[in-house]
């Protein structure tokens, strides 16, 4: 099978699959139109997020048997058209679930204990103790929306912190020893902390908006390591300003490029987030560790061989 690599990934993908007889071409720079002209030559694509694989693209890919997305989200792929055309879709959420879970806990500890603020103050000769009192995780109710690979790994990491973990998911009967499934209404009533672990779909676009936030009974901390457009930024900013949201940990932003490479829009809401002590922002790196790079790639290789190996 001839495979086109559209993004750089760990070299083990090419090394291991070449040993099994797969043939590779790499194109990390050409745009959509240039790739479109030659996509009929390939039976497989391995991608992260650089190019949207829309209906037009997939229709032109007349010999395509699979698309392997190194990561979890599939929003840059027209999933419905792929299924109609019999194209196998492969992703690897198992590969970075642990790094996402650790990132969630790390950001929360930094935010709730004012670690970044206090450290910068001391480095600048400012010694404040009373002003830097922290807020403990112990005893709080941690609410998760989306109990797939990322949500479950996050609940597992929290098991030693003395928090009660509850979650909402559209699939039933997912409770385990780490978390209890509840209705969305119960989660909104009980959660002290809200963490998103959902894909970006028509249903989850702007899931967190003014109406959703108004239904949260408690003032709460908010964490988003899912997708930026799951959240209406204007509503988030207004809730932080009013005190409804006590603080926010954001690894993703509504204003990111679709390839996640940078921010493509600047406005007053983003300016507020970047300047607020109540907000921690990282550049879409929750799933981006040394270990996850290897695990994501290995899972992709294993799944390709499981489906298309000789």
């Amino acid at each position: 099978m001839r495979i086109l690599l559209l993004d750089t990934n760990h070299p083990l993908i090419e090394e291991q699959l070449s040993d099994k007889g797969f043939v590779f071409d790499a194109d990390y720079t050409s745009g959509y139109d240039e790739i479109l002209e030659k996509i009929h030559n390939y039976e497989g694509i391995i991608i992260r997020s650089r190019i949207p694989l829309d209906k037009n693209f997939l229709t032109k890919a007349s010999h395509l048997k699979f698309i392997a997305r190194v990561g979890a989200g599939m929003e840059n792929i027209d999933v419905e058209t792929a299924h109609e055309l019999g194209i196998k879709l492969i992703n690897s959420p198992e590969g970075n679930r642990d790094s996402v879970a650790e990132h969630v806990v790390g950001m929360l500890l930094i935010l709730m204990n004012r670690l970044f603020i206090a450290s910068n103050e001391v480095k600048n000769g400012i010694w404040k103790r009373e002003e830097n009192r922290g807020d403990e995780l112990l005893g709080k109710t941690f609410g998760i929306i989306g109990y797939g690979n990322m949500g479950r790994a996050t609940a597992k990491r929290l098991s030693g912190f003395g928090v009660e973990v509850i979650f909402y998911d559209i699939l039933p009967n997912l409770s385990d020893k780490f978390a209890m499934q509840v209705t969305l209404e119960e989660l909104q009533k009980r959660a002290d902390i809200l963490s998103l672990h959902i894909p970006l779909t028509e249903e989850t676009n702007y899931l967190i908006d003014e109406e959703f936030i108004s239904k949260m009974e408690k003032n709460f901390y908010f964490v988003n390591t899912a997708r930026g457009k799951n959240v209406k930024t204007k509503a988030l900013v207004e809730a932080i300003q009013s005190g409804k949201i006590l603080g926010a940990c954001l690894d993703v932003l509504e204003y990111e490029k679709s390839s996640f490479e940078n921010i493509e829009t600047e406005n007053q809401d983003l300016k507020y987030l970047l300047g607020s002590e109540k907000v921690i922002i990282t550049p879409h790196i929750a799933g981006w560790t040394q270990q996850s790079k290897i695990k994501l790639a290995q899972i992709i290789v294993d799944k390709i061989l499981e489906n298309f190996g000789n």
Side-chain angles (χ1 to χ4, degrees), residues 69-72 91-101 149-150 153 157 286-300 303:
R69 202 261 159 164
V70 184
N91 65 345
S92 52
E94 308 92 335
N96 60 357
R97 62 189 175 193
D98 297 312
S99 58
V100 169
N149 280 281
M150 312 303 176
R157 290 302 181 286
W288 209 253
T289 61
Q290 302 294 334
Q291 293 79 11
S292 71
K293 184 176 183 180
I294 297 171
K295 288 188 283 187
L296 285 166
Q298 189 61 61
I299 288 166
I300 287 296
K303 289 183 177 181

Side-chain angles (χ1 to χ4, degrees), residues 170-230:
I170 58 174
L171 299 177
N173 304 317
L174 298 178
S175 294
D176 57 24
K177 64 181 180 179
F178 301 114
M180 180 177 69
Q181 189 162 7
V182 298
T183 64
L184 185 58
E185 291 74 20
E186 184 174 352
L187 184 144
Q188 289 174 314
K189 181 178 180 179
R190 295 174 55 193
D192 298 293
I193 301 163
L194 177 64
S195 186
L196 298 188
H197 300 279
I198 51 179
L200 181 63
T201 65
E202 289 184 9
E203 292 74 24
T204 65
N205 188 69
Y206 280 178
L207 175 67
I208 308 302
D209 59 7
E210 293 90 348
E211 181 182 2
F212 186 102
I213 293 169
S214 71
K215 291 179 180 178
M216 294 291 289
E217 188 166 306
K218 301 178 182 178
N219 296 343
F220 65 102
Y221 294 97
F222 178 68
V223 186
N224 189 13
T225 55
R227 288 292 185 262
K229 290 182 181 177
N230 293 140

Side-chain angles (χ1 to χ4, degrees), residues 14 29 78 90 96 119 124 131 133 168 175 177 210 247 258 276:
E14 193 169 352
T29 59
D78 186 332
I90 297 169
N96 60 357
S119 176
N124 285 285
E131 295 87 345
R133 280 190 183 271
Y168 169 75
S175 294
K177 64 181 180 179
E210 293 90 348
S258 58
S276 175

Side-chain angles (χ1 to χ4, degrees), residues 97-147:
R97 62 189 175 193
D98 297 312
S99 58
V100 169
E102 291 188 13
H103 200 88
V104 169
V105 176
M107 285 198 298
L108 267 177
L109 292 175
I110 290 169
L111 178 72
M112 294 174 66
N113 292 283
R114 298 176 60 85
L115 299 181
F116 187 72
I117 296 168
S119 176
N120 279 341
E121 287 177 350
V122 173
K123 289 179 179 181
N124 285 285
I126 302 168
W127 189 271
K128 293 181 179 179
R129 298 184 68 227
E130 186 60 36
E131 295 87 345
N132 284 312
R133 280 190 183 271
D135 190 8
E136 295 179 8
L137 280 170
L138 180 67
K140 288 184 170 54
T141 299
F142 194 105
I144 292 172
I145 297 182
Y147 206 62

Side-chain angles (χ1 to χ4, degrees), residues 23 32 56 81 90 184 197 228 230 256 264 285:
V23 179
Y32 177 94
N56 178 55
T81 297
I90 297 169
L184 185 58
H197 300 279
N230 293 140
E256 287 179 73
E264 63 180 357
I285 57 169

